[in-house]
Amino acid sequence: MPDLLQQINPDKLPVHIAVIMDGNGRWAKTKGKPRVFGHRNGVIAVREVTEAAAELGVKYLTLYAFSTENWSRPAIEVNALMSLLVDTVKKELATLNKNNIRLRAIGDLQQLPDKTHKALLEGIEQTKDNDRMTLILALNYSSRWEIVEATRAIAAKVRDSQIALEDIDVNLFSAHLATRDFPDPELMIRTSGEYRISNYLLWQAAYAELYFTDVLWPDFRKEHFYRAILDFQSRERRFGKTSEQLAHAI
Ligand code: FPP
């Protein structure tokens, strides 16, 4: 593992990494345990990846913790996930502060249970001055929800003559998304062998490099995270240009 770490070029780190933490339920099933057991062990991976990202110097890490579609899971699982979030945020607060990590959240937070919402807002408030890395939890989040919300907000401003129709462009639209304070992710990782984006940062991932691994989220460790970054660093990011154009730009 130290070898992997040494191979990483610190000058070519993705500034923002987004993760779809998938496979908790299947991991639990292989062990003959309830799905919640998988989520609880998923927290260990959350801790590992957060630590690894901060140590490397990644500035933004976004984790998909709960989608707007996840409400349709059995109530027992939804409740357990909400409690787990409260417990984890409370338990990890001191560590976040010790490591100078700022907590933020994106999603329809008002619709979360009061306890979860409150713990989250407290965590955000108590870490707001930290500036080493921003850990963003996507909670009750989905891209379609976010894009519809942004569209509504922009339409209302046009209606109220605060902006003109011609003012609407990519930058203005981005400035109305939940991620307005953060740069777009450059690397998106999904675990558990699924090859989908699942309504996650669809606008923001326009140029993200996608990385898929078969590892189930509770088994995901620093070593797997380093591999994803090394893979990212081996790719040529062209942003619609040709290789030749990129070579001449240097
Ligand atoms: C996906 O696995 C995982 C989730 C829907 C929840 C992720 C939550 C955690 C890791 C715990 C809390 C997180 C934080 C940030 C404190 P799945 O249940 O869809 O797995 P499956 O596809 O195998 O069923």
Side-chain angles (χ1 to χ4, degrees):
M1 191 170 84
D3 282 359
L4 284 176
L5 185 54
Q6 275 156 23
Q7 286 171 44
I8 293 179
N9 178 350
D11 299 325
K12 272 180 70 182
L13 277 178
V15 172
H16 183 174
I17 301 180
V19 185
I20 303 177
M21 312 182 286
D22 197 11
N24 294 351
R26 276 164 285 161
W27 185 88
K29 200 169 175 193
T30 61
K31 299 192 155 32
K33 303 272 193 184
R35 296 176 55 82
V36 174
F37 183 72
H39 297 315
R40 256 187 253 127
N41 280 273
V43 175
I44 298 170
V46 168
R47 217 177 283 133
E48 278 261 325
V49 167
T50 306
E51 193 178 290
E55 283 167 356
L56 279 169
V58 171
K59 296 306 285 182
Y60 299 87
L61 176 68
T62 303
L63 305 177
Y64 207 176
F66 196 86
S67 81
T68 51
E69 285 89 18
N70 287 150
W71 295 109
S72 57
R73 294 191 173 197
I76 189 167
E77 183 176 347
V78 171
N79 294 339
L81 266 170
M82 290 299 145
S83 303
L84 190 60
L85 278 158
V86 176
D87 292 351
T88 309
V89 168
K90 285 187 175 168
K91 228 186 263 167
E92 300 298 331
L93 206 54
T95 314
L96 290 175
N97 275 324
K98 201 175 105 204
N99 289 286
N100 197 10
I101 298 171
R102 176 170 71 143
L103 182 70
R104 293 290 297 270
I106 54 171
D108 192 358
L109 307 181
Q110 314 278 354
Q111 303 305 320
L112 293 171
D114 278 354
K115 256 171 115 179
T116 312
H117 192 200
K118 201 162 157 255
L120 199 63
L121 292 185
E122 261 172 45
I124 291 170
E125 172 62 25
Q126 287 179 31
T127 59
K128 70 175 190 309
D129 296 325
N130 297 339
D131 61 4
R132 182 184 182 198
M133 184 178 86
T134 302
L135 172 65
I136 305 152
L137 300 183
L139 258 173
N140 197 19
Y141 172 88
S142 77
S143 276
R144 288 181 174 181
W145 163 81
E146 178 189 37
I147 289 170
V148 169
E149 286 295 304
T151 307
R152 267 201 202 138
I154 294 168
K157 285 185 184 173
V158 174
R159 181 196 60 201
D160 300 341
S161 305
Q162 290 171 17
I163 56 168
L165 197 56
E166 299 70 36
D167 293 336
I168 302 174
D169 60 11
V170 169
N171 286 336
L172 183 125
F173 201 84
S174 296
H176 286 80
L177 293 171
T179 50
R180 65 182 73 88
D181 297 334
F182 321 123
D184 287 343
E186 293 168 274
L187 170 63
M188 185 180 279
I189 300 172
R190 183 175 190 143
T191 58
S192 89
E194 303 287 353
Y195 300 87
R196 287 187 296 280
I197 303 187
S198 298
N199 217 346
Y200 186 47
L201 302 171
L202 297 181
W203 169 281
Q204 298 86 340
Y207 289 102
E209 297 294 330
L210 306 180
Y211 179 85
F212 300 97
T213 169
D214 287 342
V215 176
L216 303 177
W217 180 250
D219 286 331
F220 198 82
R221 293 292 175 268
K222 286 185 181 180
E223 164 204 345
H224 305 111
F225 189 65
Y226 296 156
R227 281 187 206 284
I229 293 177
L230 283 168
D231 192 84
F232 168 86
Q233 294 190 333
S234 74
R235 300 189 196 181
E236 182 186 59
R237 307 191 72 215
R238 292 203 298 273
F239 304 99
K241 297 195 167 114
T242 66
S243 298
E244 290 70 25
Q245 284 174 312
L246 285 181
H248 289 306
I250 295 168

